[in-house]
Amino acid sequence: MIGGMADRPYHHGHLRAALLAEAERTLREEGIDALSLRDLARQTGVSHAAPRRHFADRQALLDALAEAGFAWLGDEVRAAVNGASGDYQARLRAAATAYVRFATADAALLQLMFTVKNASQPGVLPEASASLFGAVSDLIGQGQRADALPPGDPGRLRLLLVATLQGIAALVISGRVPAEQTDALVADAVALFTRSHN
Amino acid sequence: MIGGMADRPYHHGHLRAALLAEAERTLREEGIDALSLRDLARQTGVSHAAPRRHFADRQALLDALAEAGFAWLGDEVRAAVNGASGDYQARLRAAATAYVRFATADAALLQLMFTVKNASQPGVLPEASASLFGAVSDLIGQGQRADALPPGDPGRLRLLLVATLQGIAALVISGRVPAEQTDALVADAVALFTRSHN
DNA sequence: ACCTGAACACCGTTCAAGT
DNA sequence: ACCTGAACACCGTTCAAGT
């Protein structure tokens, strides 16, 4: 045997996780068009048909990526809220900033999360996004109890807040908002929600 | 000659327009994954290499579709504003509803408009979206003059309004907002902007 | 249970050649 | 100026077979 590299055993052992990690990197660095199952198999050192065991088709892989993305974004938003000091508006701004930062750092992933033709397993993605929506729900509840947000159906207010953050992210990603204006726009959005309530 | 159908002449004559029309239909009815240059050529009755004369590559076709989409959406929003009767809030709501209706009726096209990896011709897409942004700018100006919208930089308010509409559309398209709740969410958004100013 | 290798039907893109 | 036909290097997906 020349070269001395230990041969990978016939069974990879962590193929599913390896594929997901490699896919996330490719998605972030090169965009969704560069994401091919064959290429992923090549970079992971298995045959082109091996991924089939773990992902029924390309869409199943994309769904899994979106699912992981929701969990991750939910964690980021929660961490930003918990780590922020200051009044309610400051905490809301921290959460909003974390959201938009995630969106610009991993634009293709965010887009994947908010498109979803038809999840292979119906109900999986709504469940995954519940983590994010739950974090925002907590934040809404706090704001309404502190009279820092307008009263009314918290569910609709939550949707409206997520929509606004999502929309800002979309504008930044598409280049219609220059990167320097991002923070100001986020601050404007937060001010709009907390207007005459601080 | 059997069948009697007049043979298409060697030169199609309106190939570019025919390709765009067919592409718009496919995009709307079957989504972006079903949009292939070869299939488009087939359905238009030319060889698979013919589209190359009019669109350098697949991305150039997508850019052209996005460009047309912006012009169309701008027209829709303008028409809604002009056709609405009632106070300012009613006109703003009409515009917002037109936007979201467009988004849900042609989800894949809207997504194309707000992704844009890198337009083949830099500057073409920003120019096309100016039609939409101009319509919204007019609406913002009217609102601020009538004291129906908060004062401040109209440019930022415009971005924020577009972001909110875009975000609502994204939530509806991804199925996170049920279709029945769409109108209520749009009304909430409009109320948020005009709050304590009507 | 997990992976390989060959096969099939598609793509986008290129380019010499035809009208 | 516009379109064709063959060619190239890719895909996703399927399936019998190997370990």
Side-chain angles (χ1 to χ4, degrees), chain A residues 1-5 7:
Chain A
M1 203 183 301
I2 301 172
M5 279 288 282
D7 279 12

Side-chain angles (χ1 to χ4, degrees), chain B residues 10 36-38 42 52 58:
Chain B
Y10 188 82
S36 112
L37 286 177
R38 286 181 105 106
R42 226 173 279 132
R52 196 85 211 300
R58 189 177 191 265

Side-chain angles (χ1 to χ4, degrees), chain B residues 12-93:
Chain B
H12 184 285
H14 308 285
L15 184 53
R16 194 192 138 94
L19 287 169
L20 276 177
E22 190 60 34
E24 194 278 327
R25 193 189 62 76
T26 303
L27 188 63
R28 180 164 34 79
E29 293 181 0
E30 305 180 51
I32 194 164
D33 284 352
L35 196 62
S36 112
L37 286 177
R38 286 181 105 106
D39 200 43
L40 236 42
R42 226 173 279 132
Q43 287 176 286
T44 318
V46 294
S47 82
H48 67 266
R52 196 85 211 300
R53 279 286 135 189
H54 303 282
F55 302 102
D57 54 19
R58 189 177 191 265
Q59 188 57 45
L61 173 74
L62 298 184
D63 289 348
L65 283 171
E67 191 180 355
F70 272 117
W72 185 18
L73 179 53
D75 288 349
E76 294 278 318
V77 169
R78 246 186 301 272
V81 171
N82 294 337
S85 58
D87 61 0
Y88 178 76
Q89 195 173 8
R91 290 215 305 287
L92 183 57
R93 197 165 41 234

Side-chain angles (χ1 to χ4, degrees), chain B residues 2 48 53 86 138 193:
Chain B
I2 302 172
H48 67 266
R53 279 286 135 189
D138 292 346
F193 277 86

Side-chain angles (χ1 to χ4, degrees), chain B residues 176-197:
Chain B
R176 259 161 215 94
V177 170
E180 320 88 70
Q181 279 191 38
T182 307
D183 287 350
L185 196 56
V186 168
D188 279 358
V190 169
L192 186 67
F193 277 86
T194 58
R195 174 153 56 98
S196 77
H197 280 278

